[in-house]
Amino acid sequence: MTHPDRRSALRLFVLSGSSRAGSVNARLAALVAALVTRAGVTADLARLRDFPMPTYDGDHEAADGPPEGAAALRDRIEAAQALVIASPEYNASMPGALKNAVDWVSRFRPQPFKDKQALLVSASPSTVGGNRGLWSLRVPLEHLGARVYPDMFSLAQAHQGFDEDGGLKDRDLQARLSDTVDSFLDLVEADTLYPCLQHRWYEFLGDRTSAPVTQRAE
């Protein structure tokens, strides 16, 4: 059972993976943030352009450490119980800038993706709605220990999919997105507030559930 008073203690970081002004993924991220807020949960909405960072370079990291944009993104992820990413699809994959951000943030210790609940959504003018990009985005996030929600939402023909109020013109799609977000919030609530839910994610046999950082062979 959902408890609105308990949900008020939750915080979700909602990130648009596009830096373009007028991006359909920024509009989708704003819609998800509105649904989260309507459910009684605090939504922290941001765009990738809010976290400028250079292309990952090991020499840069060794000399100067992670850039300020990566540190700011890490802080916003850490401050939330869950993460929502609205990602474009570039050439049947995730945007390079978004992958670069994940790579930079993963260099912090502890890195913030481990055990973080994550929901992936996408919007695209194409007929597949950017869904192929979400499948590629799952790979690094799950490798880092994020608990990526099985259901994903992709909005096809997104350039004509929004109404004047920021909702979806297609009422069935609006209902499906609302149901997906609400079900995800149920999971986040259970994972955050109910100690009987045990974490059982392992990279390999030497990993420990209580370890702050998943150790990996490189």
Side-chain angles (χ1 to χ4, degrees):
M1 178 181 293
T2 298
H3 298 277
D5 56 329
R6 295 182 181 178
R7 279 194 170 182
S8 65
L10 301 178
R11 182 182 185 89
L12 264 67
F13 179 52
V14 184
L15 177 68
S16 168
S18 174
S19 297
R20 186 175 62 84
S23 162
V24 289
N25 280 281
R27 297 180 72 179
L28 182 59
L31 175 55
V32 170
L35 293 172
V36 168
T37 301
R38 192 177 307 162
V41 176
T42 299
D44 177 17
L45 179 62
R47 294 191 183 192
L48 194 60
R49 68 191 307 173
D50 298 333
F51 310 98
M53 61 191 82
T55 302
Y56 177 77
D57 184 322
D59 291 339
H60 180 166
E61 181 187 17
D64 302 316
E68 291 183 3
L73 181 55
R74 182 274 313 268
D75 291 345
R76 299 279 282 276
I77 295 172
E78 280 190 338
Q81 282 76 45
L83 168 69
V84 181
I85 301 178
S87 174
E89 177 186 305
Y90 290 177
N91 298 313
S93 187
M94 78 187 85
L98 181 56
K99 177 59 163 59
N100 183 60
V102 171
D103 290 342
W104 267 118
V105 171
S106 73
R107 302 301 297 170
F108 288 96
R109 294 293 181 268
Q111 59 91 356
F113 294 108
K114 181 174 167 61
D115 293 333
K116 188 75 64 176
Q117 300 288 350
L119 172 66
L120 304 183
V121 299
S122 64
S124 171
S126 74
T127 56
V128 295
N131 187 259
R132 294 168 299 187
L134 297 187
W135 283 109
S136 67
L137 180 56
R138 294 186 73 101
V139 175
L141 293 179
E142 290 182 333
H143 172 75
L144 292 167
R147 298 159 182 260
V148 183
Y149 194 61
D151 292 341
M152 302 183 294
F153 179 87
S154 295
L155 178 64
Q157 300 182 327
H159 59 296
Q160 55 190 15
F162 294 91
D163 60 29
E164 295 181 354
D165 297 322
L168 301 183
K169 291 180 180 178
D170 188 314
R171 296 297 94 185
D172 290 338
L173 286 177
Q174 177 73 34
R176 181 187 162 206
L177 177 61
S178 297
D179 289 345
T180 299
V181 170
D182 203 52
S183 295
F184 178 66
L185 291 176
D186 285 341
L187 176 62
V188 175
E189 179 183 347
D191 184 50
T192 304
L193 302 177
Y194 305 138
C196 60
L197 183 65
Q198 299 295 314
H199 293 177
R200 290 292 181 265
W201 183 89
Y202 296 94
E203 164 98 13
F204 53 87
L205 291 179
D207 188 25
R208 295 177 291 109
T209 300
S210 60
V213 180
T214 300
Q215 301 298 323
R216 303 176 187 281
E218 297 182 345

